[in-house]
Amino acid sequence: MQLVEPRPNRAIPIRITPLIDVVFILLVFFMLTTRLLPVDYLELANNTSSRSPVTGEPLPELTVTANGDVRWQGQPVALDRLVTELSEAGITEVNLSTTGDTPLGAFTAALSALTDSGIDTHWKRTNATTP
């Protein structure tokens, strides 16, 4: 006499819905309890009292053209000559922009040459005009 019925030979399906619920609960828990940045090392310096409200003279505008030359004061100048002229003039900070057809390599070469010579270079981003 058999008291327990034998199990069928087919596989019992695993229900995934409770597992997905647990994973989402864990995800929300870790997202809420984790800090993305170490707050102990975050330094905020909002002291602007030493700065003057007058900005002084504007920074020189340099524009990299499609052929790799850089325009300064409306005239194209070779990159190596430009670095020398800027250093001799005592200029330590410039704004660098590009024309719409300037290749990335020309921009990178100009930016690297200026930065390597100790000139603080700010990229002035301009929107490309579509014809």
Side-chain angles (χ1 to χ4, degrees):
M1 165 181 190
Q2 196 174 23
L3 296 177
V4 180
E5 292 182 19
R7 285 193 160 172
N9 290 334
R10 63 187 171 126
I12 299 174
I14 298 175
R15 294 190 181 107
I16 295 183
T17 305
L19 295 175
I20 292 174
D21 291 344
V22 170
V23 168
F24 280 130
I25 290 171
L26 288 173
L27 178 67
V28 169
F29 172 77
F30 286 116
M31 286 174 58
L32 293 175
T33 59
T34 304
R35 286 192 239 167
L36 296 177
L37 292 174
V39 179
D40 300 330
Y41 299 106
L42 187 62
E43 183 177 330
L44 299 175
N46 290 331
N47 185 8
T48 57
S49 61
S50 62
R51 294 186 181 178
S52 172
V54 180
T55 58
E57 294 185 20
L59 296 176
E61 297 282 334
L62 305 176
T63 305
V64 182
T65 60
N67 61 0
D69 287 338
V70 180
R71 287 192 171 275
W72 181 35
Q73 299 174 344
Q75 299 177 2
V77 182
L79 189 57
D80 53 349
R81 191 173 135 226
L82 175 71
V83 171
T84 306
E85 287 183 17
L86 289 173
S87 298
E88 288 175 356
I91 296 173
T92 59
E93 197 172 358
V94 296
N95 286 334
L96 184 66
S97 63
T98 59
T99 59
D101 55 349
T102 303
L104 180 61
F107 169 74
T108 306
L111 181 65
S112 298
L114 291 169
T115 304
D116 291 345
S117 66
I119 297 172
D120 191 17
T121 308
H122 306 283
W123 176 36
K124 183 178 178 184
R125 185 175 186 179
T126 56
N127 293 334
T129 57
T130 49

